[in-house]
Amino acid sequence: MRDVISAPAPGLDFRRHYGHHQSPAIRAGGLIFCSGMLPIDPETGERQHGTLTSEAHCIFRNLKLLLESAGSSLDRLVQVHALIYDSIEYDVLNRVYRHYVANGPPARTVWTAQSEAGFKIQLDVVAAA
Amino acid sequence: MSLDLMSLERAVIAAPPGLDAAAALGQPASTLVRGGAFLFVSGLVAVDPATGQRAPGTTMSETRLILANLKRMLEAAGSSMDKVVKVNVLLASMLEAVPMNDVYATFFPDPPPARTVCGARLPDGCRVMIECTALA
């Protein structure tokens, strides 16, 4: 059984705003698989380019909205892939990351990759439903 | 969901002839592995199913070939494109995300699976690599 999790706020419907052929998240087999999370204004859908820190704050706020709308939460994250534009910002990522996964942080892998529109960070996550 | 013995099972699933690229290229990887309720598919690159050889092309042609092959191997394993839960698309250039998306949209049902797209350095001059997780 595969359940589609719809966008928790109008701006987070990437398909509507950017034509991406993807659902915000899918719940299946007790897990929630989220599409790559980007720093997008949850109300307007506008891109929120900034520093890696500001982009990460925006992404985690959006992720919180998405997971909570699906009956999960940031505390239930299982695995995180953090794709950052340059590994020189690794410590910068860690400082902001800690705020959101204070208790028993999820498994995590960080690597460098390009994200759309030149964003500095994208989070690819799986949470327990 | 209850955890019974079946849900903990791990099984390597043989890909159809010509599509087992991981084996054909001598990689220490299985193309499809079932674990519990899920089927995990290795990162696929464009391969001609008639010859089993790499079929380099454009981002659009590689995406089309990869997804056609993925569809066949999921169906052969008893799953299908509408059971896919998550797809990761790696592109040699994020400048080609739009053509990839255009082809991609023709393969997945509505509503589509969750997806992450990123630009990465891919081996052997590949333009596209796609991995996915599906319900078995």
Side-chain angles (χ1 to χ4, degrees):
Chain A
M1 186 62 193
R2 194 193 86 148
D3 300 320
V4 174
I5 309 298
S6 53
L12 298 181
D13 185 345
F14 291 7
R15 193 165 176 200
R16 179 175 146 225
H17 290 284
Y18 297 104
H20 295 357
H21 194 71
Q22 62 192 44
S23 296
I26 299 284
R27 179 170 44 221
L31 298 174
I32 297 172
F33 298 83
C34 299
S35 285
M37 300 296 294
L38 294 166
I40 301 286
D41 185 296
E43 294 310 316
T44 65
E46 285 305 308
R47 294 176 170 126
Q48 302 287 295
H49 286 96
T51 60
L52 187 137
T53 299
S54 72
E55 290 190 5
H57 277 300
C58 182
I59 288 171
F60 269 111
R61 285 194 298 268
N62 290 345
L63 183 58
K64 184 171 189 287
L65 282 177
L66 179 62
L67 291 177
E68 290 181 356
S69 80
S72 182
S73 70
L74 292 176
D75 288 337
R76 295 178 64 74
L77 285 169
V78 172
Q79 185 187 45
V80 176
H81 293 157
L83 284 61
I84 61 176
Y85 75 108
D86 191 326
S87 53
I88 201 163
E89 297 248 42
Y90 185 73
D91 182 59
V92 174
L93 166 67
N94 279 340
R95 291 182 70 89
V96 55
Y97 192 89
R98 277 180 217 287
H99 288 290
Y100 295 95
V101 293
N103 307 309
R108 187 185 75 168
T109 306
V110 181
W111 70 87
T112 59
Q114 277 189 330
S115 291
E116 70 170 75
F119 285 127
K120 294 191 166 72
I121 176 167
Q122 173 167 211
L123 294 183
D124 179 41
V125 315
V126 180
Chain B
M1 171 182 281
S2 68
L3 276 181
D4 57 27
L5 282 176
M6 281 298 288
S7 69
L8 297 171
E9 224 171 75
R10 173 189 185 274
V12 173
I13 311 286
L19 295 183
D20 202 347
L25 299 171
Q27 294 165 353
S30 297
T31 300
L32 295 113
V33 177
R34 184 164 66 79
F38 296 103
L39 198 56
F40 296 87
V41 184
S42 286
L44 303 175
V45 299
V47 165
D48 179 347
T51 64
Q53 297 301 304
R54 283 215 42 237
T58 62
T59 292
M60 291 183 90
S61 72
E62 291 194 8
T63 301
R64 193 173 293 114
L65 194 48
I66 290 168
L67 293 177
N69 290 346
L70 174 66
K71 180 171 191 290
R72 275 186 58 204
M73 61 178 82
L74 287 177
E75 288 172 358
S79 183
S80 61
M81 294 296 258
D82 58 11
K83 286 185 171 180
V84 174
V85 296
K86 176 71 201 292
V87 179
N88 292 332
V89 180
L90 285 67
L91 297 174
S93 169
M94 276 303 285
L95 295 175
E96 294 173 11
V98 170
M100 178 283 296
N101 189 60
D102 289 346
V103 174
Y104 183 98
T106 66
F107 279 89
F108 283 98
D110 220 334
R115 186 181 72 172
T116 297
V117 181
C118 72
R121 293 173 69 186
L122 300 176
D124 303 327
C126 294
R127 306 300 301 166
V128 185
M129 180 180 283
I130 298 179
E131 64 163 359
C132 89
T133 306
L135 282 168

